[in-house]
Amino acid sequence: MGLKYSNKINKIRTFALSLVFIGILIMYVGIFFRDYPVVMVIAMILGLLAVIGSTVVYFFIGMLSTRAVPVVCPSCEKPTKVLGRVDACMHCDQPLTMDRSLEGQDFDESYNSKKASHHEA
């Protein structure tokens, strides 16, 4: 299986960055409706809300990042952060876990879910 895993913090940062570009694109589309001020204003407001939303997401991931456990990746030997029970290296996407009971098992992001009980006593 050639599945590629990626770090949760990087995924959320990519989403926030895409919100910025989507917001700017929405505002740009609004310029084409100069003859219809109501449509233009709605596009500008929606674009602004997307950009503000990205700011909120960046703040959220910044706060979440402070709680992530800093580790050194055994594969690329660079410092990275692990969020939850399983995550991936920020640099080389190597699957990582902080839970010794999951070592050697297939990488599955559902291990982070509190609902999923993958190892029973």
Side-chain angles (χ1 to χ4, degrees), residues 3 16 31 38 40 48-49 71 74 93 103 117 120:
L3 290 175
I31 291 173
V38 174
M40 185 180 80
L48 181 65
L49 288 175
V71 297
D93 294 327
E103 284 182 11
S117 58
E120 284 141 26

Side-chain angles (χ1 to χ4, degrees), residues 3-11 68-69 71-76 78-98 107-109 112:
L3 290 175
K4 186 163 167 97
Y5 309 107
S6 61
N7 184 270
K8 286 188 267 308
I9 293 173
N10 286 348
K11 282 182 188 175
V69 180
V71 297
V72 174
C73 176
S75 182
C76 67
K78 293 181 182 176
T80 187
K81 291 184 177 185
V82 175
L83 196 59
R85 290 175 69 200
V86 294
D87 204 351
C89 175
M90 290 178 162
H91 309 285
C92 68
D93 294 327
Q94 169 73 32
L96 302 170
T97 183
M98 295 301 294
F107 185 84
D108 188 354
E109 287 190 3
N112 290 322

Side-chain angles (χ1 to χ4, degrees), residues 21-33 40 43-44 47:
F21 288 117
I22 290 169
I24 291 171
L25 182 68
I26 292 171
M27 288 189 277
Y28 185 73
V29 167
I31 291 173
F32 292 110
F33 292 97
M40 185 180 80
M44 294 297 173

Side-chain angles (χ1 to χ4, degrees), residues 4-74:
K4 186 163 167 97
Y5 309 107
S6 61
N7 184 270
K8 286 188 267 308
I9 293 173
N10 286 348
K11 282 182 188 175
I12 297 171
R13 285 180 181 156
T14 301
F15 171 71
L17 182 62
S18 66
L19 267 180
V20 171
F21 288 117
I22 290 169
I24 291 171
L25 182 68
I26 292 171
M27 288 189 277
Y28 185 73
V29 167
I31 291 173
F32 292 110
F33 292 97
R34 278 182 258 171
D35 297 336
Y36 306 99
V38 174
V39 176
M40 185 180 80
V41 168
I42 289 172
M44 294 297 173
I45 290 172
L46 288 176
L48 181 65
L49 288 175
V51 172
I52 290 171
S54 76
T55 305
V56 171
V57 172
Y58 270 121
F59 177 78
F60 169 75
I61 194 58
M63 297 306 292
L64 206 58
S65 182
T66 61
R67 294 189 302 147
V69 180
V71 297
V72 174
C73 176

